[in-house]
Structure formats: C-alpha cells, structure tokens
Amino acid sequence: MSTYRVAQVTDAGGPLRIVEREVPRPGPGHVRIAVEACGICHSDAAFVNAALPGIRFPVVAGHEIAGRIEELGDGAGQQGWQPGDRVTVGWFGGSCGHCTPCRQGDFVVCDNLKVPGWAYDGGFAEKTIVPVDALARIPEAFSAGDAGPMACAGVTVFNGLRRSSARPGDLVGVLGIGGLGHLGVQFAVAMGYETVAIARGADKADFAKQLGAHHYVDSSTDTPVAEALRSLGGAKVVLATASNSAAITATVDGLSHRGELVAIGADPQPLGISPNQLLMRGRIIRGHPSGTAQDVQDTLEFAALHGIRPMTESVPLDQADAAYQKMLAGAARFRMVLTP
C-alpha cells in the first residue's frame, strides 16, 4: 500500500499532527498534485477553528498550494493538463458551474465555492486532489515556495488593484505591509501608481521604501492618516490589507473625490463609516475576494515580468504546527511555507 503524509487537525482549535494516509486516485475532472510547497494563510485559522459552516474533521488546511500534477482523473487531460505540469491552487479551488454567479461568469463568488481545506483536503500534505478548474500554471521563473503564496495573497492584492478605479499616475494607498501588503506595495508600484505605504511605526519606513513605495505614512503619529493622505492630494484608491476595522475606517476621509476603498483585510468588527463621508465626495467602498485560476495565472505572469516575489520562511511539513502557531502570533515575515 502506498501512503503519504498530511498535517491534520482532529478537533476544532487542536494542533496540527502528522498522520499517514493511503494514496487516493483522482476522480473524473480532478488531478492529484504532488505538493512541493504550501503557504500558511491567516484564513486557515477559520478552518482549524471551525469558524465557517460545514467544516468536517479531520481538517487538512492549506490553500496556497504549489506542486506538480502526478495523476489525471478521467477527462482532466482534455483540458490540456499533463502529468508533470507545474501548477498552483489558491483560495479559488473550483466552482460549481451552475449557480447564478457562475452562469454569469463570476466564478470566484460562486455560491458553492470549493476552497481547499474547506471543501476538500488542502495542501498541508505531500499530496492533494483538486478539481481541474482550480489549476493555474506556474511560470518557470517561479519556485514552488514563491508560487504558493501568490495563489492567495498575491492574486488578492493584484486583482484588487487592477479592478479598482485607479489609473497609472494616481495616488494609491496600501494599508498594512504584512503578508498581503508587502505584495500590494510591489504590485502598486509596478502598475505605475504613486504608492503610499501606511503602517504603524517609524521603523517600517525604510522597509516600505525598499518595496518601492514613494511615500510612507506612520499611522501611530499625531497626524491622522486621512490628513496625511489629503496632504499628498488624496488617494484615488486605498487597498486595505490590514485586518483592523479601525485602521481601515481611518483612511476614508483621505480618499479623493470619487475615491475608492477596497477592503481585503478580514475583520469581524464593523467599519465606523457614516453615509455623510461617502455622499458629498462620491466615495465608494467595496470588498474584494481573491481571484479565479486564470487570475492567479495572470498574477504570476505579471509578477514574473516585474520581479515581484513574496517574502517567505520555509519549514518542513513535520513542523507544520509550530509554523502555524508562528503565523497566529504575527511573527511570520511574511509567509510561512510548508515544504513536504
């Protein structure tokens, strides 16, 4: 019997433990991936803690998967995939194809979205089976360890910016320069925006400049963030990557006329925004989800062209729980990546 290892959680909030399982065959329209790397995203905590409906234990989390196709299920080869192809799978782990959003071609907001670690076993493992519509090709310029985080963190900021109202030359603020934000700054600069990095502490200024930011706003000073943005002319877009509703709220009055707040940092607390802040200046607030497999591929190709990479720390699979705890503690700089 052939086996493989996974890092699974057996009870809500429990530790990640290594167990062996029998290697499964992929079903119709699916492929089995030999996992080479998988990023640890803060959203994985929602699965580990059963904070979302329909979580079934044991849970194998991980939705920043990179590896090679090992075996094709029936029909998978008809879509151009072959064993050995380098692929990545992110938050978008497949769609149902028949709900209203899917019928309208808006697959990433599918009513039955298949997120790895929620709908099926994720990438905290040596192997995983995924639907073929979840696959994105990895450019040769990318290592597996860099490609995995781009399938969630990378595509979220890339898509959030390219689908915003900002145009080259516009002032764009990136709130937070952590796991999402450090990529957001790099993408914003490469897209031709006058980029403002916003974070807490003067010590982050040099790092923001290293990422390419044209300006840095320290949100811990006496000058309100909104005032700092207005002094620069007002932001056409603020990409809010920080998972802090108070910090997100503080940027709104720094938006220009018709300015847009794009919220991608998750926080259960409500935003403290009044209609009056929006009405007189015609401002917009919207949430932005991740992106489809094609969006992931677009992200990787753009990043390869501009030399954009995530900052990661790789650890072996058998240290999955320690790596996960480091992520929870906010000590990761900036993505923990498991390497089976």
Side-chain angles (χ1 to χ4, degrees):
M1 179 181 70
S2 180
T3 63
Y4 71 109
R5 298 185 305 152
V6 306
Q8 69 176 28
V9 176
T10 56
D11 300 289
L16 280 67
R17 292 193 172 98
I18 304 298
V19 300
E20 288 196 1
R21 297 182 178 179
E22 186 175 355
V23 175
R25 300 288 303 276
H30 288 66
V31 303
R32 188 175 69 241
I33 297 173
V35 178
E36 296 177 349
C38 187
I40 302 177
C41 175
H42 199 277
S43 299
D44 288 315
F47 310 142
V48 171
N49 296 323
L52 294 168
I55 299 292
R56 298 182 301 275
F57 289 93
V59 162
V60 179
H63 57 270
E64 293 185 345
I65 305 163
R68 295 181 184 271
I69 294 177
E70 194 171 64
E71 184 177 355
L72 303 173
D74 290 344
Q78 296 174 4
Q79 300 190 38
W81 300 104
Q82 298 294 330
D85 285 348
R86 301 179 71 231
V87 295
T88 183
V89 180
W91 178 266
F92 178 84
S95 56
C96 72
H98 58 74
C99 68
T100 298
C102 283
R103 285 168 60 85
Q104 293 174 341
D106 201 356
F107 301 107
V108 77
V109 289
C110 168
D111 290 342
N112 306 292
L113 187 66
K114 303 170 186 174
V115 181
W118 187 2
Y120 53 83
D121 287 345
F124 293 179
E126 293 176 331
K127 304 179 190 297
T128 187
I129 291 178
V130 306
V132 72
D133 64 323
L135 299 175
R137 294 188 185 277
I138 299 176
E140 286 302 316
F142 263 88
S143 68
D146 285 343
M150 299 299 274
C152 178
V155 69
T156 301
V157 295
F158 175 76
N159 243 10
L161 288 169
R162 73 167 174 172
R163 296 192 177 188
S164 76
S165 57
R167 296 295 177 264
D170 285 342
L171 189 76
V172 169
V174 178
L175 174 64
I177 50 176
L180 290 167
H182 86 287
L183 289 168
V185 171
Q186 293 178 75
F187 277 119
V189 172
M191 290 176 178
Y193 306 137
E194 184 180 353
T195 304
V196 187
I198 308 165
R200 288 185 61 82
D203 57 316
K204 296 184 176 69
D206 287 343
F207 178 58
K209 295 296 177 67
Q210 290 171 20
L211 294 172
H214 303 99
H215 311 279
Y216 178 70
V217 170
D218 178 1
S219 63
S220 66
T221 67
D222 292 336
T223 303
V225 170
E227 182 179 328
L229 290 174
R230 288 197 303 271
S231 72
L232 294 169
K236 182 66 175 177
V237 168
V238 168
L239 183 73
T241 74
S243 298
N244 185 312
S245 290
I248 295 172
T249 298
T251 69
V252 173
D253 286 334
L255 293 170
S256 66
H257 64 283
R258 304 290 180 186
E260 182 180 19
L261 172 63
V262 181
I264 62 176
D267 186 348
Q269 298 302 313
L271 297 174
I273 298 169
S274 75
N276 289 345
Q277 291 175 275
L278 308 179
L279 292 171
M280 299 302 291
R281 302 289 283 169
R283 293 170 175 143
I284 299 166
I285 300 173
R286 68 178 178 88
H288 174 74
S290 180
T292 65
Q294 183 60 55
D295 292 326
V296 172
Q297 199 160 315
D298 292 346
T299 301
L300 287 165
E301 290 171 355
F302 184 92
L305 187 64
H306 291 277
I308 297 170
R309 298 293 187 275
M311 296 182 180
T312 64
E313 180 181 344
S314 296
V315 296
L317 181 64
D318 57 12
Q319 295 178 23
D321 191 66
Y324 174 75
Q325 296 301 329
K326 186 172 183 177
M327 178 278 296
L328 285 181
R333 291 293 181 268
F334 286 99
R335 252 322 187 252
M336 303 302 297
V337 176
L338 298 179
T339 54

